[in-house]
Amino acid sequence: MNCPQTRELYSEYRDGLLSGVRRRRVESHLGSCPECCRFYSRVDESLCTLEHLADITPSPGFRFRLFRRLKNERDLQAVMPGRTKLAAAMMVAAALGMFLIEDGSHTPPLEQTPAARASTPLPIMVAKASYPFVTFADLNAPVYEIGLTSTSSASHASLASWARLPR
Amino acid sequence: MQAAVQTQQLERFAKKPLKEMDDSAVVAAYLDGNSLAFEELVNRYQRRLLNFVYRTIGDRERGEDLVQEVFIRVHRHLHRFDQSKKFSTWIYTIASNLAKNELRNRSRNPLVLFQTIKKNWEADHRPLQFEDRHHRPDDLFRKRHLKDLVDWTVRQLPEHHRVVFVLREIEGKSYEEIADITGCNLGTVKSRLNRARNRFAQLIGPMLD
């Protein structure tokens, strides 16, 4: 066992939580490494000074202030149930109102004539050999197909007409 | 009817006094309607929690406010406390979270930090108020100096190390309890405690010579 490993395990060793092989290894290292032995003796000595740490006690008014706060808390809880129900009812009414308003403002889809549908172009998905993602092409721009350069105007027109198929 | 009342009175006499009950029995007594049981919980934990919070945040007055807040929250949520768990772990968790929030808020508000430092400086420079005639003056001086030194050194530890250090070295909590209270895993608790102890020794060691 080396110094860093001993450092990792020292707290558990000191608290008696190591057993068997690991405990013996730490003890063996402390016995053979003067630097670690000196350092951990200093750690033990330092921790012993904690017994000089005096406990502080609550100030004289602490209990009085606490029980006054608890009394206020209990009085508030006695009043709160009624208020809580009222608040909950108001929230439900507000949510219902918003739902009704939202429902009323939603316009049903217009019946689309083939001409109307045709004027709305669908996006064309385009794949490039060198690009791992599918993108959406501008209908007016040249379309690049896999393995091909820009298409002829005829095939471009056919692609565009495919995009305008009725639903 | 009279027999039932007499049986109840006998049962009440047969029950242990609150002071002799463990925490879970006191909690159960409070939830059964015994209001004195909450006072018993306050008696048991006020001093320990105050010391824990004070050592963590370094401000006694604010520590008292936070401990009161702990008891308010316990009072509010005791009916939801899982009685199969340890009450002390639960109450220390609440205290630890409030202390951490306090430290976080302080680091964001320099004015609060300045006021705390100023208050602690004034407290440290208060003269001794009581004379102890049973000990030599130089012993008293040395003791007071050592006490202040230890206090100061604990406050120098980084916050997340300090919480673990105080819970282990001062509150005597086990590693598992510290893991539950701080919400860290056991490995993290061991590592932080190790570093805290080493850092404490590095700070105080030279001053002990």
Side-chain angles (χ1 to χ4, degrees), chain A residues 6-12 14-15 17 22 39-40 42-47 49-50 52-67 69-70 73-74 77, chain B residues 38-39 42-43 46-48 50-51 54-55 60 64-65 67-69 71-72 75-76 146-147 150-151 165 168-170 175 190 193-194 197-198 200-201 204-206 208-209:
Chain A
T6 306
R7 200 171 307 135
E8 286 296 314
L9 293 175
Y10 185 74
S11 267
E12 289 175 80
R14 190 179 184 278
D15 293 336
L17 299 176
R22 292 206 303 175
F39 180 74
Y40 290 112
R42 178 51 64 93
V43 168
D44 290 343
E45 186 191 335
S46 304
L47 292 175
T49 62
L50 289 170
H52 294 279
L53 209 57
D55 260 6
I56 59 169
T57 52
S59 61
F62 177 84
R63 285 178 71 87
F64 172 75
R65 290 196 309 274
L66 171 62
F67 286 105
R69 281 182 72 177
L70 284 170
E73 179 86 1
R74 272 193 287 266
Q77 280 177 355
Chain B
F38 194 83
E39 277 192 50
V42 172
N43 291 341
Q46 58 179 354
R47 188 172 162 139
R48 290 261 48 85
L50 180 59
N51 278 275
Y54 167 64
R55 302 269 171 241
R60 187 206 169 113
E64 286 200 359
D65 292 341
V67 170
Q68 291 204 355
E69 184 59 31
F71 285 118
I72 298 290
H75 181 260
R76 224 178 255 166
L146 190 55
K147 186 168 74 69
V150 174
D151 210 1
F165 184 83
R168 177 69 193 166
E169 298 297 338
I170 300 172
Y175 283 44
K190 289 175 187 174
L193 183 61
N194 224 0
R197 283 170 165 171
N198 292 344
F200 182 80
I204 205 171
L208 295 175
D209 294 331

Side-chain angles (χ1 to χ4, degrees), chain B residues 57-104:
Chain B
I57 69 172
D59 182 342
R60 187 206 169 113
E61 213 174 291
R62 189 67 188 130
E64 286 200 359
D65 292 341
L66 292 181
V67 170
Q68 291 204 355
E69 184 59 31
V70 171
F71 285 118
I72 298 290
R73 289 186 186 204
V74 166
H75 181 260
R76 224 178 255 166
H77 301 295
L78 199 52
H79 63 283
R80 293 197 290 179
F81 168 63
D82 179 357
Q83 293 184 59
S84 64
K85 303 267 166 61
K86 266 186 89 170
F87 177 78
S88 72
T89 304
W90 185 55
I91 199 169
Y92 268 90
T93 305
I94 298 172
S96 171
N97 289 338
L98 286 175
K100 277 191 260 184
N101 289 345
E102 175 69 14
L103 291 170
R104 202 176 302 134

Side-chain angles (χ1 to χ4, degrees), chain A residues 52-126:
Chain A
H52 294 279
L53 209 57
D55 260 6
I56 59 169
T57 52
S59 61
F62 177 84
R63 285 178 71 87
F64 172 75
R65 290 196 309 274
L66 171 62
F67 286 105
R68 189 177 55 187
R69 281 182 72 177
L70 284 170
K71 183 182 177 301
N72 291 341
E73 179 86 1
R74 272 193 287 266
D75 292 343
L76 199 64
Q77 280 177 355
V79 174
M80 271 305 278
R83 283 193 191 170
T84 308
K85 283 178 193 167
L86 180 62
M90 284 173 68
M91 278 174 66
V92 167
L96 196 61
M98 283 182 69
F99 173 74
L100 289 171
I101 291 167
E102 182 65 29
D103 200 41
S105 65
H106 185 255
T107 52
L110 290 168
E111 281 291 325
Q112 286 193 345
T113 61
R117 281 198 291 270
S119 67
T120 309
L122 289 173
I124 298 175
M125 288 192 287
V126 175

Side-chain angles (χ1 to χ4, degrees), chain B residues 127-161:
Chain B
L128 272 174
Q129 291 172 342
F130 302 102
E131 193 182 337
D132 184 342
R133 295 181 186 278
H134 300 292
H135 294 97
R136 290 170 45 194
D138 52 345
D139 283 344
L140 282 171
F141 176 79
R142 212 175 295 124
K143 271 188 188 167
R144 185 169 184 243
H145 176 70
L146 190 55
K147 186 168 74 69
D148 291 345
L149 181 62
V150 174
D151 210 1
W152 176 86
T153 310
V154 172
R155 281 207 297 268
Q156 302 315 302
L157 297 174
E159 288 162 15
H160 52 290
H161 291 172

